[in-house]
Amino acid sequence: MVFVEDDDQHRRLAVRPSSSSSSSSSRDVVVAAEVKAEPGFADTDDDDEEEATAVLKPRHTRIVVVASMRHENTDWLQQELPGEQTAIYMADGEDPSPSSYPSSSSYPPSSPRHHTPRNKGHEAMTYLSYIIAAYDTLPDVVVFLHAHRWTHHNNAVQDGDAAQLVRDLRTAHVLRVGYLNLRCHWEPGCPDHLQPGRSRNDSFSEVSDLEQAMAEQWPLLFPAAAASPLPTAIAQACCSQFAVSRARIHAHPLQAYLRWRDWLLRTRLTDYYSGRVWEYLWQVVFAGRAVSCPRERACYCEGFGICFADDWAYARWGAMKETVNGLRAELRRGLGEGGSDVAALWGQIDELDGRLRELREDAVRRGREMAVVEEEEETKSERRGVRPSLSPTPRQAPSGKDKGERSG
């Protein structure tokens, strides 16, 4: 079952099963129906014009919005990204005094923190609170991040380093596409992580519980789409870190974000499940599609300027990285048990790490060369008065044939 904060008062909604005879495009139809209903998605070119104008600006503005807890040290943002504008939110308390932090840490943080109305819904509460507070003064691009710098769910090619991820992020690309999930790797999340219309089996699981929660809450979150079929799949790469353009945020009125945050505050779903629901809804809100799974190599190249020569080169890097991870695990076991040749393992790891660096540096060089060509083409287009090509806005949700590209 889906765990709720107050089972006695929880009002359940019937799960609307997905009809087997429904069109394969049902997941996109429901998204299109919702976004067209929002005032921000009227049939005008205003959003396209704003994005086009922003793409041609010689310098783009952006901010990094960070969802944190009081025990998390966010000083790395100033140390590693000194030129970035940041907004750091603390979800679990409003007392910034030194006595409220562990004595063994370097807290209080050097950057002042903002606060959310309640610690609920994981990072979603922070993201929605920032949008509501800054709706009229948004920069060109907003980057939404977690507070920890190093984590397994950051991109492997960037060594799991959030600072490197932000440094590599191509703001102009975010302006072109409108929304970019900052995780390029499909697992977990793609290609069809949640299938909210399928029947539940007898063995309950977290995914099954989340599917039920999504099916129940969909009509409340997107009431204008309630009459349309439930998407057969809802998916994107985990883990609620993304970049979005001002135009895409403004595609929804402020009232929509207030309504979504109010849902977080009022829902009987727990902090965990309400946050997990939103983890797989950002692409619905900002990209207008239920499934957003771009090819991994394309994500790295277009989003971060790390351009492997071909699919084989990218697969080779991935296989080599898995080998290094396996050797490190063996090394840890050997150190604990005293049974491995530690020196030999370190030698293999160092050799493979060097080859991985070479492959990455080659991909970065290729990305820089491609960026120069793209910039030259954009300059020529600007001089000719040709507007840059922009991705469809959410109101132009793709057909059901587009199920997201599988990694090559």
Side-chain angles (χ1 to χ4, degrees):
M1 66 174 60
V2 176
F3 298 100
V4 297
E5 293 181 311
D6 187 346
D7 287 325
D8 293 335
Q9 299 182 30
H10 181 53
R11 177 171 58 87
R12 289 192 172 276
L13 297 174
V15 177
R16 188 168 64 254
S18 177
S19 172
S20 59
S21 62
S22 62
S23 166
S24 62
S25 64
S26 63
R27 65 180 171 190
D28 287 321
V29 170
V30 70
V31 175
E34 171 65 16
V35 297
K36 285 181 179 178
E38 296 286 4
F41 288 107
D43 290 329
T44 70
D45 290 330
D46 292 346
D47 297 334
D48 289 344
E49 292 289 354
E50 182 175 347
E51 289 189 22
T53 302
V55 168
L56 297 176
K57 286 181 180 179
R59 185 168 184 171
H60 311 305
T61 58
R62 74 180 185 187
I63 189 171
V64 178
V65 177
V66 178
S68 74
M69 304 285 279
R70 72 169 59 238
H71 68 275
E72 293 177 305
N73 190 337
T74 56
D75 285 347
W76 64 269
L77 288 158
Q78 287 190 343
Q79 296 164 0
E80 299 295 327
L81 305 169
E84 293 284 348
Q85 182 182 3
T86 60
I88 303 172
Y89 278 73
M90 184 171 67
D92 58 342
E94 297 188 2
D95 180 9
S97 64
S99 61
S100 66
Y101 295 93
S103 59
S104 60
S105 73
S106 61
Y107 299 146
S110 55
S111 300
R113 298 197 188 189
H114 305 275
H115 301 281
T116 60
R118 186 178 175 190
N119 181 16
K120 176 78 179 293
H122 287 195
E123 64 282 314
M125 182 65 76
T126 286
Y127 298 173
L128 292 172
S129 294
Y130 169 77
I131 291 173
I132 291 167
Y135 189 82
D136 294 325
T137 57
L138 292 167
D140 294 327
V141 165
V142 183
V143 182
F144 291 103
L145 284 183
H146 296 168
H148 33 263
R149 176 183 176 186
W150 306 97
T151 177
H152 67 282
H153 62 64
N154 286 338
N155 287 324
V157 177
Q158 293 154 323
D159 295 324
D161 183 0
Q164 189 63 50
L165 182 151
V166 174
R167 283 193 290 264
D168 291 340
L169 180 63
R170 299 182 65 194
T171 303
H173 176 68
V174 178
L175 287 164
R176 290 190 194 99
V177 300
Y179 170 82
L180 178 69
N181 188 325
L182 298 180
R183 179 175 170 83
C184 291
H185 296 269
W186 276 28
E187 294 294 334
C190 285
D192 55 0
H193 183 57
L194 299 180
Q195 300 175 45
R198 64 180 166 186
S199 301
R200 293 173 59 84
N201 53 39
D202 294 333
S203 58
F204 296 110
S205 67
E206 178 186 328
V207 171
S208 182
D209 291 341
L210 187 55
E211 288 174 341
Q212 182 186 4
M214 188 71 78
E216 291 178 346
Q217 302 303 317
W218 185 271
L220 298 179
L221 292 166
F222 305 107
S228 301
L230 190 67
T232 55
I234 299 176
Q236 68 169 336
C238 84
C239 299
S240 285
Q241 297 192 123
F242 57 89
V244 61
S245 70
R246 176 179 59 230
R248 288 297 175 89
I249 294 176
H250 280 170
H252 296 284
L254 176 60
Q255 186 60 38
Y257 299 103
L258 288 166
R259 174 165 55 83
W260 288 325
R261 189 175 69 172
D262 187 63
W263 175 87
L264 271 181
L265 292 168
R266 293 174 180 272
T267 182
R268 299 299 183 181
L269 292 177
T270 61
D271 167 55
Y272 177 79
Y273 275 102
S274 59
R276 291 278 284 163
V277 164
W278 270 99
E279 181 178 351
Y280 292 100
L281 286 181
W282 298 115
Q283 81 281 8
V284 176
V285 171
F286 295 125
R289 59 175 65 185
V291 174
S292 180
C293 295
R295 294 176 65 233
E296 293 178 10
R297 184 168 70 90
C299 172
Y300 271 120
C301 185
E302 297 169 0
F304 300 97
I306 304 173
C307 301
F308 290 89
D310 49 34
D311 288 344
W312 181 86
Y314 176 65
R316 181 186 176 207
W317 189 96
M320 201 177 299
K321 184 68 171 179
E322 287 186 8
T323 300
V324 169
N325 291 340
L327 290 173
R328 290 186 184 279
E330 184 179 346
L331 179 63
R332 287 191 294 271
R333 289 193 299 269
L335 290 174
E337 300 170 4
S340 295
D341 187 339
V342 174
L345 286 175
W346 272 121
Q348 294 179 63
I349 291 171
D350 288 342
E351 179 184 355
L352 288 174
D353 275 342
R355 293 165 65 185
L356 285 169
R357 283 193 298 272
E358 290 176 0
L359 288 172
R360 185 187 185 281
E361 289 169 1
D362 180 66
V364 170
R365 280 194 299 269
R366 185 175 292 101
R368 287 173 180 166
E369 293 169 359
M370 293 173 65
V372 170
V373 174
E374 289 177 6
E375 185 175 350
E376 291 174 350
E377 290 299 320
E378 284 187 3
T379 300
K380 291 178 183 178
S381 297
E382 182 179 2
R383 288 173 180 171
R384 293 195 304 266
V386 178
R387 200 168 74 176
S389 175
L390 296 173
S391 65
T393 56
R395 67 173 180 276
Q396 299 166 311
S399 69
K401 294 180 181 179
D402 181 6
K403 299 182 179 180
E405 298 181 48
R406 298 177 181 275
S407 55

